[in-house]
Amino acid sequence: MQWLYERTLDNSARFVLGTVGDNPLVCFGVNPSTAEPSKLDRTIQGVSKVAVRNGHDSFIMLNVYPQRATDPNCLHSVVDPSLKSENEQHISTIVRGRKLTLWAAWGALIDKRRFLPLLLKDILDLPELAAGEWVSRGAVSRDGHPHHPLYVKKTETFESFSVAHYR
């Protein structure tokens, strides 16, 4: 298995974690935890299993904000513009305008910081994502957010998801 793994030199931010394949499931979370190729966490293990169950040969985990934080309360209080820019560059490079399945999985954590919905809007406006098909698993939250992968029953299937609310 060949890994995709892009992070900052000091490992304080991760932009990409996944495996190489022709038909990846691309999952968008809020922010990365400490997972890396040799040490997958429960979220990444779950994303990998969902990819296989849905006919994908690989998975790619991307995030709205790349700062590593096991506790979302520890996210920056204001956005780091250089992290935002580098994250968008990595997302554009990974997706490359391909018609991919894009799994909205940021959960209610998107409201954890005022800047997160703004970052998501900018990501959704990247032209490289235009051909992708957005999906979520399970019913959306009462606020209309797609659920985080850990908070969805294993039996839930993908359903079309409109990102218009975030634009």
Side-chain angles (χ1 to χ4, degrees):
M1 177 181 314
Q2 186 177 355
W3 285 95
L4 300 167
Y5 185 48
E6 299 292 336
R7 60 187 173 88
T8 55
L9 288 176
D10 67 0
N11 207 22
S12 64
R14 186 187 77 214
F15 305 100
V16 179
L17 176 59
T19 54
V20 175
D22 294 324
N23 181 28
L25 171 62
V26 180
C27 183
F28 280 84
V30 166
N31 74 292
S33 187
T34 58
E36 52 191 53
S38 62
K39 189 179 81 175
L40 301 182
D41 61 15
R42 287 181 47 227
T43 299
I44 301 299
Q45 290 172 2
V47 169
S48 176
K49 290 175 185 175
V50 168
V52 170
R53 280 197 306 263
N54 285 275
H56 297 273
D57 63 358
S58 55
F59 75 92
I60 300 170
M61 186 75 206
L62 303 172
N63 288 281
V64 173
Y65 193 58
Q67 178 196 358
R68 287 184 187 261
T70 54
D71 178 354
N73 290 316
C74 294
L75 283 173
H76 295 146
S77 56
V78 295
V79 68
D80 178 328
S82 63
L83 284 180
K84 174 191 184 301
S85 176
E86 191 169 350
N87 194 44
E88 289 173 357
Q89 290 170 5
H90 282 284
I91 291 169
S92 295
T93 299
I94 287 291
V95 177
R96 297 189 321 262
R98 298 180 288 167
K99 185 174 172 34
L100 299 172
T101 301
L102 307 174
W103 178 8
W106 44 80
L109 292 176
I110 196 72
D111 292 328
K112 183 56 77 171
R113 293 287 185 265
R114 193 177 305 228
F115 63 81
L116 290 170
L118 301 173
L119 297 182
L120 178 56
K121 180 196 177 308
D122 289 347
I123 289 168
L124 296 173
D125 288 342
L126 293 171
E128 292 82 0
L129 272 68
E133 175 192 359
W134 284 97
V135 297
S136 65
R137 290 183 64 232
V140 297
S141 73
R142 66 178 170 267
D143 294 329
H145 301 307
H147 287 288
H148 183 283
L150 291 180
Y151 307 115
V152 179
K153 293 179 185 176
K154 292 179 183 179
T155 57
E156 293 289 354
T157 58
F158 282 129
E159 297 177 20
S160 183
F161 182 77
S162 173
V163 293
H165 168 77
Y166 298 97
R167 285 196 159 126

